[in-house]
Amino acid sequence: MRHVIALDVGGTGMKAALAGADGELLHQARRPTGRARGPEAVVEGILDFAAELRAHGERHFGEPSAAAGVAVPGIVDPERGLAVYAANLGWRDVPLRDLLAARLGGVPVALGHDVRTGGLAEGRVGAGRGADRFLFVPLGTGIAGAIGIDGRVEAGAHGFAGEIGHVVVRPGGAPCPCGQRGCLERYASAAAVSEAWAAACGDPEADAADCAKAVLSGDPNAVRVWRTAVDALADGLVTALTLLDPRTLIIGGGLAEAGETLFTPLRDAVRRRVTFQKLPEIVPAALGDTAGCLGAGLLAWDLLTSTDRTEESA
């Protein structure tokens, strides 16, 4: 059975799969990145993991993997196949595409940014299926974004497109590690809500999920913290939809796990802010933590499709 390798590399762990042509995950596996052992060990772990997946595919599906796709965090140069920079993994200018191709016997390898790769999957086979324009916004430790256009995700001229978390929504507000003040992710990320709720309730271990539960129980401090986050998020999203005019707005990440505790007030807040703009459908992400693997598999299949077309026209 023809299949591809899909790897999703995170700050602490790696998710991997063998993916069929229809996007089905035929085999899944996980392991830690081993970042405590240093950036070179992380890269070697990725290569070893990919080689093990290739061997598994040969044993169970009768042929080696036809291609590979890998999603990584940080700054990525997909054209040159470089993992340019990732603070949490400690690497700079790693030629990951070439290293993987060499370890996998010369098969084509696609390299992608983790959020954009997850957005690609959400747009094609997840919550944005059928939408010609979508924006995928995961609310996690920070806030990123993936701009979907006709089945692909726009990286921008320098690979920085979609960084909605660094749209300033509160000028002069809380300092952000990026160097600005008042960035969206300082108010509406899961990490920001966790920090605000821990301070409000006096429990340093409290997190955003605890805040959402307290909102449901009517705790006024929780309602205040939650409303602050929702208002900031709505301001950032209206800026984005004014610029991009998406048909579907997909919200994912840890904060989205609050379900309608988030989506009901968020839809209302966005609706109150739009004037001439068309209100997009605002929906929760559908693929959970498999989005990165699914997207990496799609990148690999896209490589094969373009290769097949080139051979047919030759």
Side-chain angles (χ1 to χ4, degrees), residues 66-154:
V70 57
V72 297
I75 301 171
V76 180
D77 184 341
E79 298 302 318
R80 295 193 294 159
L82 295 178
V84 177
Y85 175 70
N88 56 357
L89 295 175
W91 62 29
R92 287 183 180 272
D93 295 324
V94 178
L96 196 54
R97 182 180 63 195
D98 290 347
L99 291 171
L100 273 167
R103 181 65 67 91
L104 297 173
V107 301
V109 176
L111 180 67
H113 180 269
D114 57 353
V115 172
R116 287 194 288 270
T117 302
L120 178 69
E122 283 289 353
R124 282 202 203 167
V125 300
R129 185 197 294 263
D132 56 345
R133 300 287 190 279
F134 70 88
L135 178 64
F136 170 57
V137 181
L139 310 173
T141 303
I143 299 178
I147 302 165
I149 304 170
D150 290 333
R152 63 180 181 84
V153 172
E154 173 58 47

Side-chain angles (χ1 to χ4, degrees), residues 60-73:
H60 291 83
F61 304 116
E63 59 182 294
S65 306
V70 57
V72 297

